[in-house]
Amino acid sequence: MSGQFEPLPGGGAAVALDDVEISIIRSLAVQLLELIGPGPAEDASDDPLAELFAEGPSEPPSDPVLRRLFPDAYGDPQGTPQAREAEEQREYSAEFRRYTENDLRAGKREGALAVIRALDGVTSASAGGAVLKLSADESRQWLGTLNDLRLAIGSRLDIADEDDTDLLYRLPDDDPRKPMVMAYLWLGGLQESLVATLLP
């Protein structure tokens, strides 16, 4: 089972992780939390209706990783739009971002925290490694966070398409990107095996 999620009877998934693997995932999840930023301030309104209509940012993040995690909602998939269309797309994207990004950030923050809590639970249970068991709901949270981690690493590695991934396999061992590449590929295998456990 090592390194691959397997389905549990009645739903959910399990994976055997050693201490190094636990440490890597936990560290990446903590870095993701730091990148996403803190939740609402302590002086935020306790009114759920006000919170529901609280406005977020309207501009895309400046960090390329955050732009990958929180992309513009509107864009022309066929290429560069005309100037007027581009301006309309920017306006639509700004409006969409204003009312959705806070919730998206909260969801990603919640997923990363769930991963950290699950890993903290297994590290205290045994030395040298452990079998992590997730419910179906926890598996979906993990899937989202594994995807976010891969998007973040992929952005730092400038991976835009499948051809870029193929080039990573051929990096020499002394390339400084190699550890990040290995983490990216390993997380991809974890993600793929977790997806398989969630299929009917």
Side-chain angles (χ1 to χ4, degrees):
M1 182 193 314
S2 182
Q4 298 290 312
F5 279 97
E6 294 183 5
L8 290 173
V15 63
L17 297 170
D18 65 31
D19 285 345
V20 172
E21 293 168 330
I22 290 169
S23 176
I24 290 170
I25 297 172
R26 190 183 190 289
S27 174
L28 290 171
V30 168
Q31 290 176 52
L32 180 65
L33 276 176
E34 291 170 354
L35 185 65
I36 292 171
E42 289 182 14
D43 59 350
S45 171
D46 290 333
D47 179 2
L49 190 59
E51 186 65 30
L52 180 65
F53 291 103
E55 292 186 11
S58 59
E59 293 297 318
S62 59
D63 186 293
V65 174
L66 288 174
R67 274 199 309 274
R68 191 86 167 266
L69 292 171
F70 305 103
D72 278 336
Y74 297 92
D76 184 359
Q78 302 302 319
T80 307
Q82 300 298 322
R84 191 172 132 258
E85 292 171 346
E87 183 57 34
E88 285 178 358
Q89 289 173 3
R90 277 193 291 276
E91 288 174 15
Y92 294 150
S93 289
E95 191 71 9
F96 186 82
R97 183 179 298 279
R98 183 176 295 122
Y99 293 108
T100 61
E101 188 167 313
N102 285 345
D103 286 341
L104 291 172
R105 282 181 184 259
K108 291 182 185 302
R109 196 178 298 111
E110 186 178 316
L113 283 170
V115 166
I116 292 167
R117 288 185 190 117
L119 293 172
D120 286 349
V122 296
T123 54
S124 62
S126 69
V131 175
L132 176 69
K133 294 182 179 180
L134 304 173
S135 68
D137 286 341
E138 290 169 330
S139 294
R140 284 187 283 278
Q141 275 189 309
W142 267 70
L143 188 59
T145 299
L146 288 174
N147 187 61
D148 290 342
L149 293 175
R150 290 191 78 237
L151 284 173
I153 294 171
S155 180
R156 292 288 187 237
L157 291 170
D158 292 324
I159 296 173
D161 57 34
E162 195 63 36
D163 292 339
D164 294 334
T165 306
D166 292 340
L167 292 173
L168 297 178
Y169 282 105
R170 296 192 292 273
L171 284 178
D173 289 341
D174 60 350
D175 191 298
R177 297 171 293 171
K178 192 72 170 191
M180 208 181 324
V181 168
M182 298 306 293
Y184 177 81
L185 297 172
W186 173 62
L187 289 172
L190 275 178
Q191 185 180 13
E192 192 175 309
S193 68
L194 185 53
V195 166
T197 70
L198 295 171
L199 295 175

